[in-house]
Amino acid sequence: MTDLTPDERAMTEGRDGPAAAMAMRIVAETARILGAERLIPVTSAHVDGCLYHGDSGVYFVERLVELEGRVAVPTTLNVGALDLIHPERVHADPHATDMARRMMAAYEALGCAPTWTCAPYQVGHRPDPGEDVAWGESNAVAFCNSVLGARTNRNGDFLDISAALAGRAPYYGLHVADNRLATVVVGTASLSDRLKAEDAFYPVLGAWLGAEVAGAVAVIDGLPADMPEDRLKALGAGAASNGAVGLFHVAGVTPEAPTLEAALGGRPAEQRIELTPEVVRAARDALSTAPDGPLDALAVGSPHFSIAEFDALEERLAGRRASRPFYACTNRQVLRSLEASGALARIEAAGIEIITDTCIVVTPILPAGGGVLMTNSAKFAQYTPSNTDYEVVFGSLGDIAESAVAGRVVRDEAAWN
Amino acid sequence: MELTRGRVLVAGAAAGPVLRLAEPVSFWGGVDPRTSALIDPRGPAPGAEIAGRVLVLAATRGSSSSSAILLELLRGGRAPAALVMAEVDAILVIGVVVAREMGWPTIPVLELPLAGHAALEDGRAVRVTEDGAIVTA
């Protein structure tokens, strides 16, 4: 049985209005089903439920708006099914377009910030270590727990917005300190420094981790201490989309792993896995469903591309132009920064089309007819074959730039051999 | 005849033929929200429709949007007759909770450890009772 405080009980009975009551009943009932003893106050939310999957989700959020709901904590929004800045770049049918627009408007009407990004942590939404929050979207959850050290479960659609309105979440899972300790140790001593310096190693490591440990908490040992944030972002996105990882630790890098022992909480590991170059190589190859050859399109930006990632892409292209359709998915804040710095004109002149507010695997954007898509994202590699009519080839950012110019897959294998 | 008994997570009575899936399934990307057909060619029983079945799941995986797919099935009348899960799935149950709040049809949800699944032969006609018993129809 879930114990509600007098305050929480008053909310379910309508003290703070009918929308807060409905949200609190959903949170409390979910807590009861999950066996949570109580609820916990949360200080922020990130909502994944704003992506259109069918009319029922639109009616749900519109009900909350009719009941005059307002979020009780700062809340950011994940991607929707439309690019509101470049609407002509999405080719959804008229009904889906209309309903997706209604859905996005309703979430804004509840007081959520129209961030429309799967990387809210790179547009200023960064809770402190130890803070309890209620986030949705698998990569955002993994980053929030692992890199920021804040605490959230992998919240399903509708529980995220309910928690935002109620200001509470069920107290279980990754809110409980003990459940955040690693039980699996991943060793990387036999991998070369060259490989660890390669951007594309991190999404591959994530995809391997997700498949290997499913939902267990792992600590990875032996990675460089000065790891850029975008590598941790790619690692988490790979692990979350290829498994059910909500939290991972990197010894000497992430906040709950100052040392290997600290990440384990002083307990012995239940499992130890030593990575080999062969395993990493096989994990990389498993991200492709098509052989190397001619390409029909390229895409980057899952999670949404950062300024640093755009800089790196520009550097790799070195003034050359893509010969195939090339999509870079990002958010409005990054778009504005690119405009302000003058980079946007150069990026567009290189043949790159920028997609904001959404991405290529959640709504129709890629040219009709299908073909082979190349990406440096483990998450795009995971979802492209099932959500679009494209096969996928995975490569590094450097490979992407060379392949975009050549129109076929070009690889630098030095790091992987 | 009582075949087995689960722990009641959401109470209700239902009847239908068993559809037992031994491999993990993700509702988002795995179930067509309009037809209820299983659509992942790499997943279990591709092509089978889950509507009206007593769906027995060994495991679930994947996206946090699976709750949205189940809600869509419930509103459209294409949901399973009942859900029987080896371990409670935090994401899937939200679809049922929200459907009830919206006044749409809901379904019973039971937790039944894997060992109990053997009693539920695929295709067998069964009834689920309010107190969590699964009996021959």
Side-chain angles (χ1 to χ4, degrees):
Chain A
M1 201 57 216
T2 308
D3 280 330
L4 298 188
T5 64
D7 198 43
E8 290 161 354
R9 202 169 301 282
M11 275 180 81
T12 63
E13 288 157 6
R15 185 196 66 194
D16 299 346
M22 177 170 159
M24 185 60 100
R25 286 195 302 269
I26 291 171
V27 173
E29 175 64 359
T30 305
R32 180 193 70 76
I33 293 173
L34 294 173
E37 287 172 13
R38 62 184 173 93
L39 309 183
I40 187 167
V42 294
T43 51
S44 84
H46 178 68
V47 168
D48 184 40
C50 49
L51 179 62
Y52 175 75
H53 298 291
D55 295 354
S56 57
V58 184
Y59 298 137
F60 166 70
V61 63
E62 287 184 344
R63 169 80 57 89
L64 292 173
V65 174
E66 279 160 29
L67 299 176
E68 299 181 339
R70 290 295 289 179
V71 292
V73 295
T75 302
T76 48
L77 290 169
N78 207 63
V79 299
L82 301 174
D83 180 335
L84 298 173
I85 294 184
H86 320 96
E88 73 287 356
R89 293 181 186 173
V90 173
H91 318 295
D93 71 58
H95 176 75
T97 300
D98 178 49
M99 293 305 271
R101 195 179 295 280
R102 274 172 59 176
M103 189 175 210
M104 291 169 87
Y107 275 101
E108 273 200 75
L110 294 174
C112 304
T115 46
W116 311 124
T117 184
C118 50
Y121 45 82
Q122 289 186 328
V123 298
H125 191 175
R126 294 173 82 94
D128 288 334
E131 241 182 276
D132 286 294
V133 297
W135 282 30
E137 212 287 327
S138 66
N139 106 82
V141 167
F143 193 97
C144 182
N145 277 313
S146 311
V147 183
L148 302 179
R151 299 178 176 188
T152 178
N153 282 312
R154 288 161 36 87
N155 291 297
D157 286 13
F158 315 129
L159 185 61
D160 46 18
I161 187 66
S162 300
L165 267 72
R168 303 285 192 286
Y171 180 66
Y172 78 106
L174 295 176
H175 289 295
V176 182
D178 232 32
N179 296 339
R180 299 179 64 84
L181 298 172
T183 58
V184 180
V185 174
V186 176
T188 61
S190 57
L191 304 182
S192 68
D193 290 344
R194 174 76 187 79
L195 183 61
K196 293 176 189 175
E198 167 54 57
D199 280 340
F201 168 60
Y202 294 89
V204 169
L205 174 60
W208 169 84
L209 185 70
E212 187 72 22
V213 308
V217 180
V219 54
I220 305 163
D221 197 21
L223 296 182
D226 56 349
M227 205 191 299
E229 175 170 309
D230 284 320
R231 291 185 176 176
L232 293 164
K233 164 171 107 167
L235 200 176
S241 60
N242 220 34
V245 171
L247 167 64
F248 63 88
H249 303 292
V250 180
V253 176
T254 57
E256 289 165 81
T259 63
L260 186 68
E261 293 68 31
L264 289 160
R267 302 182 304 197
E270 288 170 21
Q271 192 187 0
R272 284 179 181 273
I273 309 169
E274 200 54 41
L275 270 174
T276 64
E278 293 71 33
V279 165
V280 173
R281 172 89 191 216
R284 183 197 69 166
D285 293 347
L287 289 173
S288 298
T289 60
D292 290 0
L295 289 173
D296 300 288
L298 301 101
V300 297
S302 180
H304 275 167
F305 232 38
S306 66
I307 295 286
E309 288 172 308
F310 272 109
D311 287 347
L313 176 59
E314 266 205 89
E315 197 175 303
R316 302 283 188 161
L317 279 169
R320 294 171 297 165
R321 197 182 151 80
S323 68
R324 294 289 181 278
F326 190 135
Y327 303 91
C329 304
T330 189
N331 53 63
R332 298 158 171 219
Q333 287 208 9
V334 167
L335 179 67
R336 282 194 288 269
S337 300
L338 295 175
E339 259 166 347
S341 71
L344 182 63
R346 292 195 305 272
I347 290 163
E348 287 180 340
I352 295 168
E353 187 158 322
I354 293 192
I355 303 294
T356 56
D357 301 341
T358 187
C359 83
I360 57 140
V361 296
V362 302
T363 198
I365 289 171
L366 298 175
V372 176
L373 175 100
M374 188 170 187
T375 184
N376 69 336
S377 156
K379 187 163 181 172
F380 273 163
Q382 176 71 22
Y383 287 120
T384 293
S386 60
N387 293 15
T388 76
D389 46 7
Y390 281 71
E391 296 295 321
V392 73
V393 177
F394 175 87
S396 70
L397 189 67
D399 297 343
I400 294 278
E402 296 306 320
S403 304
V405 172
R408 62 184 165 76
V409 177
V410 178
R411 288 184 187 280
D412 176 357
E413 294 289 76
W416 304 90
N417 291 327
Chain B
M1 181 182 70
E2 182 168 319
L3 297 167
T4 185
R5 182 176 286 269
R7 190 166 76 85
V8 177
L9 299 176
V10 178
V18 170
L19 176 60
R20 196 171 90 192
L21 302 179
E23 288 155 61
V25 62
S26 168
F27 271 49
W28 189 68
V31 179
D32 184 321
R34 287 171 304 109
T35 65
S36 89
L38 294 168
I39 50 173
D40 183 354
R42 295 159 298 186
E49 292 188 355
I50 64 173
R53 309 291 293 267
V54 172
L55 186 61
V56 182
L57 298 175
T60 52
R61 65 176 174 82
S63 167
S64 56
S65 292
S66 289
S67 44
I69 304 303
L70 181 56
L71 184 68
E72 188 69 5
L73 293 168
L74 287 162
R75 192 184 74 92
R78 300 296 296 165
L83 267 182
V84 181
M85 301 189 285
E87 233 178 281
V88 54
D89 178 278
I91 291 169
L92 219 40
V93 294
I94 297 158
V96 182
V97 171
V98 169
R100 190 163 54 193
E101 273 293 330
M102 293 297 290
W104 296 334
T106 68
I107 54 173
V109 182
L110 302 182
E111 188 176 47
L112 178 69
L114 216 46
H117 290 204
L120 302 173
E121 219 173 286
D122 202 44
R124 183 166 200 166
V126 299
R127 278 191 306 114
V128 176
T129 68
E130 290 275 355
D131 61 352
I134 302 177
V135 303
T136 46

